[in-house]
Amino acid sequence: MCATAAHVGLTILQDDINDAYLLGRRDSPIYMHFPYGMADYFAYVHGDVSNWPCDPATHVLEIWGNIWGHPDAGWIWHNVVYPFITDELGFAPTPLDPCLLVRHEPDGTPTLLLLFVDDYFVAGTAAVAASVSAAMSARFGTKGAHPADDARVG
């Protein structure tokens, strides 16, 4: 991607999607015990625990959202982001790497998008790269696109 961008003279922007793994929804629920200390925390925050609708010692939580660290969390996130990139933004995966996607603009200029978990790089004309980054930010919320040569960490 970097070699193509340099050869064609494209701008590369990078960004990080906020809380990416929490954006997906499960097809079926998982059940878990209340985390250790949660009852004490709720008692501290809400005071009297006698009016709670359940007892954390004997009840479980039904989870429909994605959970960071769960074995299928990455797949659930992939099923959220990939359709947006391909169907709504019009990118297509390259034959050798499905994480590197390409879209050809009307003038024939390629726009490349490299997705790595919850980070992405987009290479295109300055206006197109900014437009793709704005679309990603509007859909998912991001930390803010910046040039890839910028040494920010975060």
Side-chain angles (χ1 to χ4, degrees):
M1 180 177 138
C2 292
T4 300
H7 179 72
V8 179
L10 304 176
T11 298
I12 301 176
L13 299 178
Q14 67 185 56
D15 207 347
D16 182 31
I17 297 169
N18 296 328
D19 304 320
Y21 274 38
L22 301 179
L23 298 176
R25 185 152 172 85
R26 312 185 74 74
D27 292 333
S28 59
I30 58 172
Y31 298 91
M32 64 179 270
H33 293 283
F34 282 80
Y36 177 77
M38 190 170 180
D40 294 335
Y41 171 76
F42 278 158
Y44 173 77
V45 171
H46 300 291
D48 183 20
V49 297
S50 62
N51 60 359
W52 282 9
C54 63
D55 178 6
T58 60
H59 287 74
V60 295
L61 299 170
E62 180 181 75
I63 309 293
W64 282 92
N66 202 5
I67 298 177
W68 196 286
H70 195 270
D72 60 358
W75 183 246
I76 292 171
W77 162 238
H78 171 84
N79 288 332
V80 171
V81 70
Y82 212 76
F84 177 76
I85 292 170
T86 56
D87 300 343
E88 295 186 37
L89 296 182
F91 285 87
T94 58
L96 297 178
D97 187 350
C99 293
L100 178 61
L101 300 100
V102 65
R103 178 178 82 185
H104 292 280
E105 303 306 322
D107 65 357
T109 305
T111 301
L112 304 168
L113 190 142
L114 178 65
L115 182 65
F116 182 74
V117 188
D118 63 346
D119 299 309
Y120 71 89
F121 293 83
V122 61
T125 63
V128 171
S131 173
V132 170
S133 291
M136 293 287 282
S137 184
R139 172 62 175 85
F140 301 112
T142 65
K143 294 190 173 35
H146 53 89
D149 62 351
D150 190 351
R152 286 189 236 180
V153 176

